[in-house]
Amino acid sequence: MSAPFRFPRFFVTNPSPCPYLPGRSERKVFTELSGEHAGELNDALGRIGFRRSQNVAYRPSCADCSACVSVRVVANEFRANATQRKLIRRNSDLVVTACKPWSTEEQYALLQRYLRARHPGGGMTEMDEMDYADMVEQTPVDSHVIEYREPGAGGRPGRLVGACLTDRQADGLSMIYSFFDPELASRPGMGNFIIMDHILRARDAGLAYVYLGYWVEGSKRMQYKIRYRPLERLGRGGWTRFDPDEQADAIRDVAAGSPSPLPSVEASGIFRK
């Protein structure tokens, strides 16, 4: 074989309840990431909409729904708006460290506080410390836990207020999962700050994109992903940019509490699930 890695075998999960849209079911196509070329395979699959979970790369593959859209920020063209600049200044005192993918009790405790406040009843709330360790440590690719800490005293590390499990791919950073202190009134918008920090990190490293995972039209909790410009989405013809006016309309609809009236899959040709 002349190819650097064997063509992977793909499998499909059984349908299960969708965690984002009530009354719908989800199904995923997935393959294993293993061997010396796991990183190259993950990079190639990431460019066509796959996400990583431990040693598995997966993508939605639902029979009757196409609401999930892969999105990524064009890092080197990102320009923070006034609100985003204010958020960056407010958190400029944080100590940010790229740590090896090794789980800690402090990270797990922060994750539990985040899940209880933001996603009560979700499947991840049942994770124990071993499950969290598997999520972080079982990685066959170049991964880090990016920690966000308040300034410490006496040379000691400060309080952990945010973290993100992040993969470095050939063309960008892929944010696998981020979490933060949901009760820290002095630092509102930490989730958005973590995304912007990743955008700036990617730009400084000469990486083109920050992969945000799936934007789910109609799911209010996923609408934060369309606040960043320029933003690209994956369709049948490849990656294309959101129209600025369309994106602005969607952001206003989110602020008003109503779902975005973006084009349907039939009208736009967007590949979803």
Side-chain angles (χ1 to χ4, degrees):
M1 294 177 61
S2 59
F5 50 79
R6 185 185 301 274
F7 191 82
R9 297 177 63 191
F10 290 91
F11 306 89
V12 178
T13 64
N14 291 323
S16 61
C18 177
Y20 302 113
L21 299 176
R24 301 193 190 185
S25 62
E26 71 167 355
R27 188 180 66 174
K28 295 184 177 73
V29 59
F30 67 95
T31 189
E32 182 183 12
L33 299 170
S34 62
E36 61 178 316
H37 298 293
E40 297 169 67
L41 177 58
N42 189 54
D43 288 348
L45 293 176
R47 288 191 288 270
I48 57 172
F50 279 75
R51 298 283 288 167
R52 185 185 69 81
S53 177
Q54 297 175 221
N55 63 343
V56 168
Y58 69 91
R59 191 179 73 180
S61 180
C62 301
D64 57 355
C65 181
S66 55
C68 291
V69 181
S70 296
V71 291
R72 66 186 185 186
V73 183
V74 184
N76 61 352
E77 295 183 37
F78 172 77
R79 299 294 181 270
N81 60 31
T83 300
Q84 291 167 337
R85 290 195 298 271
K86 182 178 180 180
L87 188 58
I88 292 171
R89 289 195 300 270
R90 181 190 300 140
N91 292 287
S92 61
D93 63 322
L94 290 179
V95 179
V96 186
T97 307
C99 306
K100 292 182 178 180
W102 188 256
S103 65
T104 67
E105 292 182 4
E106 189 179 20
Q107 292 170 8
Y108 177 71
L110 178 63
L111 173 66
Q112 287 299 298
R113 294 199 301 275
Y114 170 79
L115 291 174
R116 285 194 296 267
R118 295 300 180 93
H119 305 290
M124 289 186 67
T125 58
E126 301 176 2
M127 291 177 64
D128 60 23
E129 289 186 74
M130 290 300 296
D131 294 327
Y132 175 68
D134 287 343
M135 183 179 84
V136 172
E137 298 171 16
Q138 289 191 19
T139 172
V141 302
D142 186 6
S143 302
H144 292 84
V145 176
I146 312 298
E147 290 190 340
Y148 299 83
R149 293 182 178 274
E150 294 187 324
R156 296 187 298 273
R159 178 171 56 160
L160 182 69
V161 297
C164 184
L165 176 61
T166 303
D167 289 351
R168 175 165 177 152
Q169 299 179 180
D171 62 349
L173 299 178
S174 178
M175 299 179 66
I176 303 301
Y177 197 82
S178 63
F179 51 96
F180 51 88
D181 190 335
E183 300 176 352
L184 197 59
S186 61
R187 296 185 187 274
M190 268 299 298
N192 291 321
F193 172 74
I194 290 173
I195 292 176
M196 285 186 290
D197 179 69
H198 276 69
I199 295 171
L200 299 178
R201 284 173 170 270
R203 187 174 68 188
D204 291 345
L207 298 172
Y209 306 108
V210 172
Y211 288 85
L212 299 181
Y214 302 113
W215 168 65
V216 184
E217 183 179 354
S219 175
K220 186 176 180 180
R221 65 192 247 201
M222 302 297 282
Q223 299 307 306
Y224 69 91
K225 297 184 180 183
I226 58 172
R227 295 175 181 168
Y228 307 93
R229 302 179 184 177
L231 190 71
E232 295 184 346
R233 57 187 173 188
L234 183 60
R236 291 174 180 168
W239 291 92
T240 58
R241 293 197 181 188
F242 269 89
D243 177 85
D245 292 336
E246 178 188 54
Q247 191 172 354
D249 288 343
I251 294 170
R252 281 194 294 270
D253 287 331
V254 172
S258 60
S260 160
L262 291 180
S264 66
V265 63
E266 291 82 13
S268 65
I270 299 170
F271 179 88
R272 310 174 186 177
K273 272 198 176 182

